[in-house]
């Protein structure tokens, strides 16, 4: 195999630009997913009739491919709200809605792992249910949620590559552009793979550091 480094060198600025957008998409998806996920997770733990739509939200987004969700949101939903449709916004919406379903389950499992006596003790001290959740339950549950939340962030980082299909100029988009321009496979896709590997390994080490940090507290 004759690896042509000049192709990588020529497209390096685009790869870096795509990497920054990949990180931005992932961060936006995880932040919005955390907010929505907490709301959905709490909704799923509500009374029977109230929790039904939240249960089905989780079922739909966890039970269908993200690839299909991106296509439906970009070509079917977003044109209702904007014309022309911005692929970056479509990608953020799709990633956020998808991650929210998984994060909701992480929140639910984390909250339910805390002994019920903690809530009863907080209520006996005069706290409302919301105050007890904010000051007692969630801080304890968050420590237990760090590993699965970190895994979800890593998964979301890799799945953001699917945004290339709607022409969001993230990392894989530029890898496909280089492949199409030179009809070469190894140079662009190996470069993309190495960058994703660096990102995921860096994130993995960061999560492990946070786990050790919170374990000491």
């Amino acid at each position: 195999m004759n690896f042509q480094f000049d192709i990588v060198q020529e497209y390096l600025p685009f790869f870096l630009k795509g990497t920054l957008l990949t990180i931005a998409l992932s961060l936006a998806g995880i932040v919005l997913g955390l907010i929505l996920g907490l709301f959905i997770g709490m909704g799923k733990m509500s009374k029977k009739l109230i929790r039904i739509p939240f249960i089905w939200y989780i079922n739909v987004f966890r039970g269908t491919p993200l690839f299909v969700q991106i296509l439906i949101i970009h070509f079917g939903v977003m044109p209702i709200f904007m014309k022309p449709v911005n692929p970056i916004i479509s990608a953020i919406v799709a990633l956020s809605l998808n991650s929210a379903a998984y994060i909701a389950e992480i929140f639910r499992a984390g909250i339910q792992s805390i002994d019920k006596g903690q809530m009863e003790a907080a209520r006996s001290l005069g706290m409302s249910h919301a105050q007890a959740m904010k000051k007692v339950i969630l801080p304890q549950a968050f420590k237990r949620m760090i590993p699965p939340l970190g895994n979800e962030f890593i998964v979301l980082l890799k799945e953001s590559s699917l945004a290339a299909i709607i022409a969001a100029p993230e990392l894989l988009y530029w890898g496909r552009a280089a492949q199409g321009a030179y009809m070469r496979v190894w140079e662009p896709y190996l470069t993309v793979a190495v960058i994703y590997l660096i990102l995921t390994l860096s994130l993995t080490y960061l999560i492990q550091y946070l786990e050790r940090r919170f374990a000491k507290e």
Side-chain angles (χ1 to χ4, degrees), residues 24-42 54 57-58 61 91-108 142 145 148-149 152-153 156:
L25 289 175
S26 303
L27 282 173
I30 203 71
V31 169
L32 294 174
L34 281 169
I35 298 170
L36 289 171
L38 177 59
F39 173 73
I40 296 165
M42 296 296 290
F54 298 102
Y57 177 94
I58 294 171
F61 278 93
I92 291 174
V93 171
L95 292 171
S96 302
L97 294 177
N98 180 271
S99 66
Y102 291 90
I103 292 173
E105 286 293 272
I106 294 172
F107 273 119
R108 180 194 59 78
F142 182 73
M145 290 187 290
L149 284 175
E152 174 59 22
F153 194 7
L156 195 69

Side-chain angles (χ1 to χ4, degrees), residues 115-195:
D115 189 272
K116 293 182 179 179
Q118 298 279 341
M119 174 62 77
E120 294 171 359
R123 296 300 298 272
S124 68
L125 293 174
M127 292 185 185
S128 65
H129 186 274
Q131 289 175 325
M133 287 295 297
K134 180 180 179 180
K135 297 181 179 180
V136 179
I137 304 300
L138 285 177
Q140 297 181 71
F142 182 73
K143 294 180 181 179
R144 303 182 182 184
M145 290 187 290
I146 290 175
L149 284 175
N151 289 335
E152 174 59 22
F153 194 7
I154 292 172
V155 170
L156 195 69
L157 180 68
K158 293 185 291 185
E159 288 187 335
S160 66
S161 62
L162 294 174
I165 198 64
I166 56 172
E170 46 72 66
L171 180 55
L172 183 59
Y173 172 90
W174 291 112
R176 295 176 67 194
Q179 188 273 329
Y182 289 94
M183 296 300 171
R184 299 279 297 182
V185 174
W186 289 104
E187 292 83 358
Y189 290 141
L190 275 180
T191 303
V192 167
V194 168
I195 294 174

Side-chain angles (χ1 to χ4, degrees), residues 10-29:
E10 180 180 345
Y11 268 83
L12 188 59
F14 299 106
F15 288 142
L16 293 177
K17 185 193 302 184
T19 300
L20 291 176
L21 182 57
T22 291
I23 295 172
L25 289 175
S26 303
L27 282 173

